[in-house]
Amino acid sequence: MKKVALTALVLSLGLAACHNNAPDNNASAVNSAEMEANADATAAVNDSANAANVADNALDNAANSVSDAGNAASNVADNTANAVSNAGNIQ
């Protein structure tokens, strides 16, 4: 009888140790998927922000180039006027 009781005790302890981890594993998988989706969304937002900054910088550079060209044309006109004035002052 002791042998049967001991065997039953060992088996019951063994079964108690076999805990079903499926719900925990499922929750872990869901959390992993959510974290990966969050990382993907964050990366997409960052990529969009970077693209907007690149476009903004390109527009700024284009505006600066137009301004520089205007300044160069103005300088040419001023230099031409100065040259004409200087030529008239030569004696």
Side-chain angles (χ1 to χ4, degrees), residues 3-67:
K3 207 177 212 186
V4 172
L6 184 59
T7 303
L9 176 64
V10 169
L11 287 175
S12 65
L13 288 175
L15 289 175
C18 293
H19 177 67
N20 183 1
N21 291 330
D24 293 337
N25 292 341
N26 288 340
S28 178
V30 169
N31 287 340
S32 294
E34 287 176 355
M35 290 179 68
E36 288 174 8
N38 186 26
D40 290 345
T42 301
V45 168
N46 288 341
D47 288 347
S48 296
N50 289 339
N53 287 336
V54 167
D56 185 47
N57 289 339
L59 288 173
D60 286 346
N61 290 338
N64 289 339
S65 294
V66 169
S67 177

